[in-house]
Amino acid sequence: MIAMLGLLSCVGPATIDAYLPAFDAIGQSFGAAPQTVQQTLGVYMFAYAAMMLFHGSLSDSFGRKRIVCVSLAVYLAGSLCAAFAPTVQALLLARVVQGLSSGAGIVVGQAIIRDCYDGVAARKAMSYVLVIFNISPALAPILGGYLIVHQGWRSVFLAMAALSLAAMWL
């Protein structure tokens, strides 16, 4: 269960950092100004931050598993839309969809730890999840850069879709 929660916790940070090395390639692909490409990060962060306020309450009301599964499905849709975006405006919209859903993993994951563990066991579980959460922003740009060089910028979003599928499977 800790591996699953760790994977869920890294979705948000990986979504931020994995595609950063692709900014130039995205701009060239769409003929977009650097400021427009940078907005893909801004709209993601705005949606991510806004929904972080609601994921916990939603999981209290509708159940942890249901919110995680719905969020992962929405994230998958956003990732696929980003991967196949025909315009920069479509990419902006796909990033909003990703932002609305990617924060559920860390928020609901913490609630699951609180539900399932007490005392020292809860602290240990949380520390393992936070290690994965903190490693993902360091590894994501490296893996993203590798994908961009060898497969193009769209492959990063396909990798994000694969990440959500792996989390759903777990």
Side-chain angles (χ1 to χ4, degrees), residues 78-152:
S79 298
L80 292 174
C81 288
F84 298 109
T87 65
V88 73
Q89 291 80 13
L91 180 60
L92 283 164
L93 182 59
R95 292 293 288 167
V96 169
V97 172
Q98 283 184 311
L100 291 173
S101 55
S102 62
I106 190 67
V107 172
V108 178
Q110 290 177 2
I112 290 171
I113 289 172
R114 189 186 65 233
D115 293 344
C116 296
Y117 300 102
D118 289 321
V120 174
R123 287 190 295 278
K124 283 176 94 174
M126 185 59 76
S127 68
Y128 292 135
V129 169
L130 289 177
V131 165
I132 297 169
F133 176 82
N134 288 321
I135 288 173
S136 65
L139 294 179
I142 296 167
L143 296 173
Y146 179 82
L147 286 171
I148 293 159
V149 167
H150 295 288
Q151 302 294 321

Side-chain angles (χ1 to χ4, degrees), residues 7-20:
L7 183 60
L8 288 173
S9 76
C10 79
V11 169
T15 306
I16 296 166
D17 297 320
Y19 92 115
L20 292 178

Side-chain angles (χ1 to χ4, degrees), residues 29 39 60 72 124 156:
S29 176
Q39 286 178 349
D60 289 342
L72 287 171
K124 283 176 94 174
V156 174

